[in-house]
């Protein structure tokens, strides 16, 4: 967990509420988040072990944060919407995903 915090600058404790607020849990299966069992988007289990983010970006914390904030700027074909998540909130989500 400490490594994920250092890597992202985020607070993983804030992430579960953010996943619910922004609707992430409706599309993705997210480990440790009650009700996050969506089947539309890719499961977010073991994200730290993936080589790519959404098949288009090298899996690095800066890329993950940028993807969460503005996925359409990286892939116009993605079904993931731009939600209005702030950069700090994206850091919190990234810290959680890298820790789980």
């Amino acid at each position: 967990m400490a490594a994920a915090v250092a890597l992202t600058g985020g607070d993983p404790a804030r992430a579960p509420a953010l996943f619910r607020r922004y609707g992430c849990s409706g599309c993705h299966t997210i480990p440790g988040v009650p009700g996050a069992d969506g089947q539309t988007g890719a499961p977010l289990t073991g994200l730290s072990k993936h080589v790519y983010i959404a098949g288009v970006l090298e899996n690095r914390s800066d890329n993950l944060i940028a993807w969460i904030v503005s996925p359409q700027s990286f892939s116009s074909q993605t079904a993931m919407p731009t939600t209005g998540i702030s950069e700090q909130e994206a850091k919190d989500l990234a810290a959680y995903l890298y820790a789980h």
Side-chain angles (χ1 to χ4, degrees):
M1 181 100 44
V5 170
L7 187 64
T8 63
D11 180 352
R14 292 192 291 243
L18 293 171
F19 283 128
R20 287 188 293 277
R21 180 183 319 150
Y22 288 105
C24 309
S25 57
C27 290
H28 295 283
T29 299
I30 307 167
V33 178
D37 55 4
Q39 301 297 309
T40 303
L44 300 180
T45 305
L47 187 69
S48 65
K49 294 177 175 67
H50 294 192
V51 175
Y52 292 102
I53 298 163
V56 297
L57 294 171
E58 182 182 344
N59 189 357
R60 299 188 327 243
S61 62
D62 59 331
N63 282 342
L64 179 57
I65 293 161
W67 172 264
I68 292 169
V69 170
S70 184
Q72 299 283 327
S73 68
F74 296 100
S75 174
S76 61
Q77 301 300 312
T78 185
M80 186 164 154
T82 299
T83 61
I85 292 173
S86 72
E87 185 171 338
Q88 184 57 55
E89 290 169 326
K91 289 178 180 183
D92 297 340
L93 297 176
Y96 184 92
L97 292 171
Y98 282 140
H100 290 85

